[in-house]
């Protein structure tokens, strides 16, 4: 007979090793600083701007979706009730609408059954990594600096990640080839490379067209899959969009992560993955999307029907052309990035101050390089004494790197807040340079 014992107590050593990994903790510091200094202007979060959200629209989109089910698909009232209230198909209910939208917006033409609608793009990353990382020898290559969502998901799955440096034009392909060969020389299998070709988070870098082709060729030569993540592709600052890797992919090399967090709204938590890679063997021919469905059935069962209905309604309401629907939003983010660049140039002219920043072609983020360490202590001082917050770039490196860099996000603020925030940031930076320590 078990006897009553003391209360259960857990130690970190008994829990999964990812929970002791600083990677999963870094954002907590930023959140905590933000909570302690609520009046500070924050260039920290890559959140969408709130000003375009209208509460009444949620109901309108829901209605647009049910009308679509009835009028376009001929569903009965009972079928519509089931579609909204019941558990749904694991791989999604709005796949046709998503397929039409990405054909219109991105020139990506795929069968709806090759798409899995997920709980944000984040779930898609977890599903894909779970499927691809078959054992301890499988390695994921990631851009460095990189997105914490992918490296964090890899940590949860005990998958080894190998950083590959970026330059101003995105992933360094010579470094990628060298990393692939190095992984093989260690007796391991380089499985896939994760990349954000357009307006990357955190660096703001974008890949020119020729490098996109070269990456696809390299992937074929080295038998790699490419995980393309594209949440920011709409938000070109210069007006010149480049084709996605997936739209250039003729060899099923690219697994494409899509998110509606920035192009619709993140509260719906709806994203998707295009996984059209054939899976052969076992007598049956499936595609990777079918395999992902098995994993998804054990993670979230299905993406909430209500969330899909609202996003589906938004797609229907805009004739599956989000790029046109988002025109005002795209203009707003373009304006914000320009306002940030303009304010930096006025408050910290580079001919007078030893600071540098990149000039992204679009997206939410830019990186500033300082002549001193931009660590947690400097961040704390920025928030407390100057009322401004940003993200240390060291958070986004797998090893060392980014110690003197900060990421500035221009998405969440108004142009007026950007101006004031840069004024405060510049005052702090100038003071710190003058202090010389
Ligand atoms: C690089 C990257 N991928 C994906 C996402 C969005 O993921 P989700 O659709 O899960 O919100 C973000 C949002 O911050 C991101 O920066």
């Amino acid at each position: 007979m078990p006897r009553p014992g003391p209360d259960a107590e857990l130690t970190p050593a008994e829990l999964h090793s990812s929970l002791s990994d600083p990677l999963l903790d870094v954002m907590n510091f930023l959140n905590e600083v933000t909570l302690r200094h609520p009046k500070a202007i924050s260039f920290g979060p890559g959140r969408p701007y709130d000003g375009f959200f209208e509460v009444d629209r949620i109901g309108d989109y829901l209605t647009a979706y049910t009308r679509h089910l009835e009028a376009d698909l001929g569903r009965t009232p009972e079928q519509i009730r089931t579609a909204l209230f019941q558990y749904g198909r694991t791989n999604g209910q709005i796949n046709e609408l998503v397929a039409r939208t990405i054909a219109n917006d991105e020139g990506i033409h795929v069968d709806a059954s090759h798409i899995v609608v997920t709980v944000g793009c984040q779930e898609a990353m977890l599903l894909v990594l779970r499927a691809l990382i078959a054992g301890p020898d499988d390695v994921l290559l990631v851009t460095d600096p990189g997105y914490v969502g992918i490296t964090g998901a890899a940590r949860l799955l005990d998958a080894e990640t190998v950083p590959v440096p970026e330059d101003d034009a995105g992933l360094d392909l010579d470094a990628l080839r060298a990393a692939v060969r190095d992984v093989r020389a260690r007796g391991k299998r380089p499985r896939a490379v994760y990349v954000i070709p357009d307006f990357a988070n955190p660096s703001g870098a974008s890949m020119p067209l020729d490098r996109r082709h070269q990456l696809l060729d390299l992937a074929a030569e080295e038998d790699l899959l490419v995980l393309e993540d594209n949440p920011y592709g709409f938000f070109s600052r210069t007006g010149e969009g480049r084709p996605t890797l997936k739209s250039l992919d003729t060899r099923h090399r690219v697994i494409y992560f899509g998110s509606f967090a920035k192009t619709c709204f993140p509260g719906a938590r709806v994203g998707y993955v295009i996984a059209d890679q054939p899976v052969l063997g076992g007598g049956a021919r499936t595609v990777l999307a079918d395999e992902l469905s098995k994993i998804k059935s054990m993670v979230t069962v299905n993406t909430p029907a209500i969330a899909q209905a609202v996003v589906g309604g938004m797609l229907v309401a805009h004739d599956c052309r989000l790029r046109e629907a988002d025109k005002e939003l795209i203009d707003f983010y373009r304006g914000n990035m320009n306002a940030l660049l303009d304010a930096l140039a006025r408050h910290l002219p580079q001919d007078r101050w030893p600071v540098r920043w990149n000039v992204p072609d679009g997206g939410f983020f830019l990186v500033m390089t300082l002549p001193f360490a931009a660590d947690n202590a400097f961040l704390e001082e920025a928030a407390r004494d100057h009322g401004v917050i940003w993200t240390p770039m060291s958070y986004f490196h797998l090893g060392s790197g980014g110690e003197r860099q900060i990421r500035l996000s221009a998405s969440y603020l108004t142009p007026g807040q950007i101006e004031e925030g840069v004024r405060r940031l510049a005052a702090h930076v100038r003071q710190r340079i003058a202090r010389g320590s």
Side-chain angles (χ1 to χ4, degrees):
M1 267 288 277
R3 283 185 300 146
D7 282 356
E9 276 179 5
L10 304 173
T11 63
E14 295 171 278
L15 302 175
H16 188 254
S17 59
S18 61
L19 298 174
S20 310
D21 191 317
L23 180 87
L24 271 73
D25 227 17
V26 288
M27 288 307 178
N28 289 348
F29 182 77
L30 189 65
N31 292 339
E32 197 229 323
V33 172
T34 308
L35 283 175
R36 267 191 290 116
H37 301 282
K39 293 220 170 78
I41 293 178
S42 181
F43 293 104
R47 287 157 74 94
Y49 177 62
D50 277 313
F52 288 99
F53 300 144
E54 288 174 43
V55 172
D56 290 350
R57 287 285 166 87
I58 304 257
D60 297 344
Y61 292 142
L62 212 45
T63 305
Y65 184 67
T66 53
R67 285 219 183 97
H68 161 72
L69 291 181
E70 188 189 351
D72 302 336
L73 303 183
R75 300 280 153 79
T76 64
E78 289 73 27
Q79 286 171 326
I80 293 172
R81 186 181 62 188
T82 301
L84 292 179
F85 280 88
Q86 273 295 5
Y87 291 107
R89 190 176 158 267
T90 307
N91 272 4
Q93 290 172 228
I94 57 167
N95 306 46
E96 284 288 345
L97 297 173
V98 174
R100 270 163 49 197
T101 306
I102 52 185
N104 289 335
D105 286 340
E106 306 292 352
I108 298 175
H109 299 277
V110 287
D111 199 287
S113 66
H114 297 173
I115 296 170
V116 185
V117 180
T118 52
V119 179
C121 166
Q122 186 63 33
E123 186 196 13
M125 294 187 200
L126 194 75
L127 302 182
V128 167
L129 290 187
R130 178 64 295 160
L132 295 184
I133 303 294
D137 287 343
D138 285 335
V139 170
L140 175 72
L141 299 128
V142 290
T143 46
D144 193 49
Y147 178 53
V148 285
I150 191 81
T151 38
R155 284 281 187 281
L156 296 187
L157 298 170
D158 294 317
E160 183 186 341
T161 44
V162 168
V164 182
E166 268 191 340
D167 58 28
D168 284 346
L171 192 68
D172 177 335
L173 298 190
D174 291 336
L176 174 62
R177 199 184 290 275
V180 164
R181 296 197 172 159
D182 183 56
V183 169
R184 286 222 171 88
R186 288 195 282 124
K188 299 209 161 195
R189 179 165 65 152
R191 201 70 176 94
V193 57
Y194 168 86
V195 60
I196 309 169
D198 289 291
F199 326 130
N201 179 9
S203 68
S206 294
M207 227 184 231
L209 184 59
D210 56 347
R211 197 179 285 201
R212 290 174 197 237
H213 285 293
Q214 288 157 11
L215 172 58
L216 292 172
D217 289 344
L218 193 158
E221 283 159 29
E222 297 288 349
D223 195 18
L224 271 183
L225 288 162
V226 178
L227 310 185
E228 177 178 27
D229 189 9
N230 186 26
Y232 303 106
F234 275 21
F235 306 113
S236 167
R237 188 179 63 83
T238 56
E240 284 172 39
R242 299 184 182 94
T244 60
L245 293 169
K246 188 66 195 163
S247 68
L248 302 171
D249 175 30
T250 53
R251 292 168 280 198
H252 295 114
R253 284 276 154 203
V254 179
I255 298 174
Y256 180 91
F257 296 125
S259 172
F260 290 113
K262 309 290 151 60
T263 56
C264 294
F265 60 100
R269 299 301 300 130
V270 177
Y272 61 92
V273 53
I274 304 172
D276 56 0
Q277 290 63 32
V279 180
L280 311 172
R285 187 188 157 97
T286 60
V287 292
L288 183 59
D290 302 313
E291 305 300 316
L292 297 181
S293 149
K294 297 178 200 167
I295 304 173
K296 182 169 169 66
S297 73
M298 296 296 158
V299 180
T300 52
V301 183
N302 61 251
T303 301
I306 299 294
Q308 290 190 71
V310 175
V311 169
M314 186 163 172
L315 301 183
V316 169
H318 298 294
D319 195 26
C320 294
R321 290 173 197 281
L322 269 188
R323 215 182 258 276
E324 273 170 47
D326 281 347
K327 212 179 154 307
E328 223 187 319
L329 189 66
I330 293 167
D331 285 347
F332 175 83
Y333 288 131
R334 176 184 299 131
N336 266 14
M337 182 57 87
N338 283 332
L340 177 58
L341 290 166
D342 179 62
L344 287 172
R346 275 184 288 104
H347 290 284
L348 280 171
Q350 294 185 43
D351 54 355
R352 287 183 37 211
W353 298 98
V355 290
R356 299 288 173 263
W357 55 86
N358 61 341
V359 180
D361 290 344
F364 288 10
F365 310 105
L366 69 73
V367 175
M368 192 172 186
T369 305
L370 300 167
F372 50 81
D375 51 15
N376 283 354
F378 184 59
L379 173 58
E380 178 70 46
E381 191 180 86
R384 189 188 59 229
D385 299 345
H386 294 270
V388 63
I389 291 173
W390 32 261
T391 313
M393 276 299 286
S394 57
Y395 288 10
F396 303 112
H397 284 267
L398 276 176
S400 60
E403 287 83 4
R404 293 178 163 220
Q405 292 185 315
I406 63 177
R407 185 191 75 172
L408 298 178
S409 167
S411 59
Y412 185 60
L413 304 172
T414 61
Q417 290 169 319
I418 290 173
E419 172 65 23
E420 174 59 17
V422 171
R423 194 192 62 72
R424 296 179 189 184
L425 168 69
H428 191 202
V429 168
R430 288 196 304 254
Q431 184 196 74
R432 180 71 176 68
I433 292 171
R435 208 162 69 204
S437 59

